[in-house]
Amino acid sequence: MLNDSFRFTPHITLEFKIGEKDFFIAGESASRVKKTLQQLGMKQEIIKRTAIIIYEAAMNVAIHANHGTLKVYIDPEVISIITEDKGPGIPDIELAMKEGYSTASHEVREMGFGAGMGLPNIKQCSDELDIDTKVGVGTTLKAKICLNNKV
Amino acid sequence: MTEYFHSVTLDFEKCKGCTNCIKKCPMEAIRVHDGKATIMQERCIDCGECIRCCPNHAKIAVTDTLDILSEYKYRIALPAPSFFGQFKELENADCVLHGLLSIGFDEVFEVALAAEIVGYLVHQYIKDSKIKRPIFSSACPAVLRLVQIKFPDLLEQIAPILTPMEVAARLAKEEAVKKTGIDYEDIGAFFISPCPAKVTEMRNPMTTKHSAVNGVIGVQLIYKDIIKYIIKEKTQKVSSTLQKATKLGMAWGYVTGESKNVDASTTLAVSGIHNVISLLEEIERGELKNVDFIELQACIGGCVGGPLNIHNLFVGRVRLRELIKKCGSRPSYYTDEELHRFYTQGHYVSTEPVQPKTIMHLDEDMSIAIMKMERLDKITNELPGLDCGACGSPSCRALAEDIIRGIAFETDCVIKLREKVKTLAEEILDLARIVPPVMADSSKKTGDK
């Protein structure tokens, strides 16, 4: 058992800080991770899904929360994308998962964001999705893409 | 032929080993090692950015010369639309076309005319195809190679139509066979090119098995002869008219010309390889799904900005526009029925889908690749982050990659090297201060007590 937990799995973690209304970091981090995954020789389809999740998740933090972090963990079996933020939280997750539902401000929508496709998009692209949220405190989103199973 | 042929090459004698080019290359394909630049063949897309920025003119585009004409019985010139923007105060395109005949060609066929066919075919393709939007133009070979390497996901959105150069060569040769009775193989078609990527495209075509173009001749090789002819011609007017292209095709010489010709309901035209890259990054994330057609040009300003052209792109553009104005509106050479026949018969459709090219991998084995990436990140963090290029790699990150790939060393970094020298010097000084016991100052020792 000891042996097992000490077995070495090569991995890398990429971290990004997301400030309030920081609309650039989502694109930047998606590009950075995309390049990394290309260099690792990941399949195109995996790269695309990862980039979309990162972009949408980081955008969500920039639009809705005060500030937060984005972490991307990569090992040969799985890619995990984790955003943690301090912010308003999501009062009704089921509603938030609906396409077209958005609580983004008018100002944000004017900028072309907040179309209510973020979470549905993330869900569609990930193999596992876990959202932990507390109203008035913040939200932690964990999305996983498994690398070794079919498709 | 080697696996990688590139028109863009280094003039070894002229290269002074400065690092201007490594920074401008959008593919990070150039390194300066041992005092000379080297182009990483598998990464180069022949965009010509390095040709433009080299202060020593050490980056050149290899094109064919007029000597190649002697290999064929019947020689057809295919002038690029942007070529006409290189001449001052042209009254019409004819004097340039006649000028081409005067330097050894038997016939001319304007690429602008073929561009009109391509415009129509792409227009119809967009109308009839259900494929994901936006659809991209296929005319710029440097952009195609860029997509192949950096945006393989977007390859399926490239319009599967041959380039105007290719269509022009096929049409011109078919017509020449009919007209002269000479064998197809004995007829040569030669593109008059502002563009190194077209040379590469002719040798190693991406969208068809074999190119019908037999040679690509750089604008600068014939420019002077054409100018001479134009000056002479002013006194002895040419009689027959050769121009067949209309303003629609001629405007392909500068950016927006193509998208206007394609005439989809929503279009966008982008030029400059760095602009193209940043736009494609957004599109890859799902932006601009409502745009039907995007014209992508590697050179700023489109083909008038091609690195082999003589004049500044704005000069070229305004001259071409003036010429188009003077030509007025004339009826299209091909009737709507003929154009439609090209479309329904599937002429000029690319037969080879552009394949993705993976050249960025750190290692074939994913676990090893991840370990290498870990090391790469670590080295990057330890480098100064100045991106000065003095090591010969375009950025600190690129140097770290080169170290991982085994083609560079950490001490290639001048800052790192200096740090190392400093540490070493301090160690030496420390060692120098240590006095062997036999030489120790005895008075001091007793004093210590």
Side-chain angles (χ1 to χ4, degrees):
Chain A
M1 190 195 144
L2 242 173
N3 268 346
D4 216 34
S5 59
F6 275 97
R7 203 174 54 196
F8 175 70
T9 319
H11 65 271
I12 43 171
T13 312
L14 299 160
E15 279 190 63
F16 305 89
K17 278 205 171 84
I18 310 166
E20 192 188 1
K21 303 272 158 73
D22 183 353
F23 296 113
F24 295 110
I25 194 70
E28 271 171 36
S29 48
S31 299
R32 250 301 296 291
V33 176
K34 179 194 141 188
K35 197 180 168 200
T36 302
L37 297 181
Q38 274 181 340
Q39 287 182 318
L40 293 177
M42 297 274 181
K43 275 190 242 143
Q44 201 44 48
E45 172 261 340
I46 298 282
I47 298 176
K48 194 176 166 185
R49 280 163 57 195
T50 311
I52 291 174
I53 295 174
I54 290 174
Y55 184 74
E56 297 290 358
M59 254 327 173
N60 276 347
V61 175
I63 291 171
H64 299 287
N66 300 333
H67 59 88
T69 55
L70 161 73
K71 271 186 209 160
V72 184
Y73 170 94
I74 305 159
D75 75 25
E77 263 104 53
V78 70
I79 300 175
S80 307
I81 299 122
I82 303 152
T83 57
E84 277 179 276
D85 71 54
K86 298 262 177 294
I90 307 168
D92 187 340
I93 293 192
E94 231 173 89
L95 197 56
M97 294 302 284
K98 272 195 186 154
E99 289 187 9
Y101 177 80
S102 174
T103 56
S105 68
H106 182 68
E107 175 202 354
V108 166
R109 284 169 198 243
E110 284 287 287
M111 291 171 75
F113 306 117
M117 292 304 292
L119 283 179
N121 251 345
I122 293 172
K123 188 165 166 86
Q124 211 191 359
C125 291
S126 45
D127 293 320
E128 269 176 51
L129 178 63
D130 180 38
I131 299 172
D132 186 16
T133 184
K134 253 194 196 131
V135 175
V137 180
T139 304
T140 301
L141 176 147
K142 284 183 196 161
K144 264 188 194 174
I145 293 179
C146 304
L147 301 178
N148 287 332
N149 55 9
K150 31 82 223 188
V151 209
Chain B
M1 196 189 295
T2 51
E3 190 192 347
Y4 294 111
F5 166 84
H6 285 292
S7 169
V8 177
T9 33
L10 181 82
D11 184 334
F12 196 80
E13 296 299 314
K14 284 187 183 165
C15 178
K16 289 188 176 167
C18 77
T19 52
N20 281 297
C21 57
I22 59 174
K23 292 259 174 197
K24 291 276 168 65
C25 174
M27 302 306 287
E28 293 195 329
I30 312 175
R31 299 291 181 272
V32 176
H33 285 163
D34 302 324
K36 300 283 175 188
T38 47
I39 304 172
M40 298 160 104
Q41 297 294 310
E42 70 280 11
R43 290 193 185 189
C44 175
I45 58 170
D46 289 285
C47 66
E49 285 294 309
C50 55
I51 297 181
R52 259 189 282 267
C53 76
C54 179
N56 307 308
H57 306 290
K59 290 293 190 340
I60 47 170
V62 175
T63 71
D64 294 304
T65 61
L66 286 177
D67 296 342
I68 195 177
L69 296 191
S70 62
E71 292 170 25
Y72 296 86
K73 281 189 193 154
Y74 195 75
R75 292 78 59 110
I76 309 167
L78 313 170
S82 61
F83 185 53
F84 300 90
Q86 303 305 305
F87 306 95
K88 174 157 81 170
E89 292 157 20
L90 283 183
E91 282 307 315
N92 51 53
D94 271 292
C95 44
V96 175
L97 297 172
H98 279 283
L100 288 167
L101 294 182
S102 78
I103 60 168
F105 291 101
D106 300 299
E107 195 169 318
V108 285
F109 190 104
E110 298 154 89
V111 173
L113 184 59
E116 289 170 35
I117 298 172
V118 173
Y120 180 84
L121 296 179
V122 175
H123 173 82
Q124 291 297 332
Y125 174 77
I126 293 170
K127 230 169 69 181
D128 294 349
S129 160
K130 296 265 177 299
I131 207 158
K132 199 158 88 180
R133 300 298 199 253
I135 289 169
F136 304 110
S137 62
S138 56
C140 176
V143 167
L144 286 202
R145 281 175 206 272
L146 169 82
V147 176
Q148 193 180 27
I149 294 171
K150 280 203 167 175
F151 304 97
D153 243 8
L154 301 177
L155 281 172
E156 55 180 33
Q157 281 159 264
I158 292 172
I161 310 294
L162 298 177
T163 60
M165 169 181 89
E166 194 58 43
V167 174
R170 291 184 186 192
L171 267 174
K173 284 163 95 170
E174 281 158 20
E175 282 182 12
V177 169
K178 273 188 224 154
K179 193 169 123 185
T180 63
I182 297 172
D183 284 347
Y184 190 88
E185 278 69 36
D186 290 328
I187 299 171
F190 307 94
F191 183 58
I192 310 299
S193 179
C195 168
K198 290 279 200 230
V199 185
T200 310
E201 178 57 14
M202 174 199 72
R203 303 270 178 103
N204 290 332
M206 277 177 290
T207 55
T208 178
K209 269 214 173 69
H210 299 288
S211 174
V213 183
N214 302 92
V216 174
I217 295 165
V219 166
Q220 80 283 16
L221 292 180
I222 58 165
Y223 183 65
K224 213 170 115 190
D225 293 332
I226 304 291
I227 292 270
K228 269 192 200 156
Y229 178 84
I230 292 173
I231 294 168
K232 207 174 86 199
E233 186 253 7
K234 272 186 180 150
T235 47
Q236 43 176 2
K237 277 269 177 226
V238 260
S239 48
S240 70
T241 54
L242 295 168
Q243 187 186 359
K244 290 175 184 156
T246 67
K247 59 181 177 185
L248 272 182
M250 292 168 81
W252 278 60
Y254 48 81
V255 67
T256 67
E258 181 184 357
S259 41
K260 276 199 184 118
N261 191 183
V262 165
D263 188 29
S265 60
T266 327
T267 63
L268 176 65
V270 181
S271 72
I273 193 78
H274 295 281
N275 294 335
V276 169
I277 292 172
S278 64
L279 179 78
L280 290 181
E281 278 178 357
E282 293 243 337
I283 290 172
E284 208 175 36
R285 291 195 294 267
E287 286 293 332
L288 300 190
K289 278 182 192 148
N290 56 339
V291 175
D292 287 314
F293 178 72
I294 304 188
E295 169 185 349
L296 300 169
Q297 307 265 11
C299 295
I300 293 182
C303 299
V304 283
L308 302 185
N309 275 334
I310 310 293
H311 290 286
N312 169 289
L313 76 98
F314 301 104
V315 173
R317 184 171 68 188
V318 76
R319 284 179 177 170
L320 185 54
R321 276 197 177 147
E322 285 303 304
L323 176 65
I324 289 172
K325 238 191 264 168
K326 280 180 194 158
C327 292
S329 49
R330 45 162 68 224
S332 155
Y333 179 75
Y334 293 105
T335 61
D336 285 354
E337 289 74 48
E338 279 172 303
L339 287 174
H340 199 68
R341 210 175 51 239
F342 286 136
Y343 178 67
T344 50
Q345 293 178 351
H347 281 331
Y348 314 125
V349 168
S350 22
T351 49
E352 310 292 307
V354 184
Q355 297 299 333
K357 211 164 104 180
T358 46
I359 51 147
M360 305 295 204
H361 293 185
L362 288 176
D363 203 281
E364 289 312 308
D365 182 303
M366 180 81 68
S367 297
I368 297 174
I370 290 176
M371 282 192 270
K372 283 187 175 174
M373 181 63 74
E374 218 184 333
R375 238 187 94 213
L376 203 164
D377 286 339
K378 193 169 162 273
I379 296 173
T380 309
N381 287 335
E382 284 165 1
L383 290 171
L386 293 176
D387 292 342
C388 66
C391 59
S393 302
S395 65
C396 292
R397 176 91 190 164
L399 174 63
E401 270 177 50
D402 291 347
I403 295 171
I404 297 290
R405 289 176 203 274
I407 58 167
F409 304 95
E410 205 164 274
T411 43
D412 290 352
C413 171
V414 285
I415 310 281
K416 273 271 160 195
L417 183 66
R418 194 184 166 280
E419 268 172 27
K420 283 227 161 104
V421 170
K422 185 170 168 256
T423 323
L424 196 63
E426 280 167 0
E427 274 173 23
I428 289 175
L429 199 63
D430 286 346
L431 284 174
R433 283 200 183 108
I434 298 172
V435 183
V438 286
M439 289 165 69
D441 189 338
S442 55
S443 62
K444 233 182 190 174
K445 246 186 174 169
T446 45
D448 276 352
K449 269 189 177 174

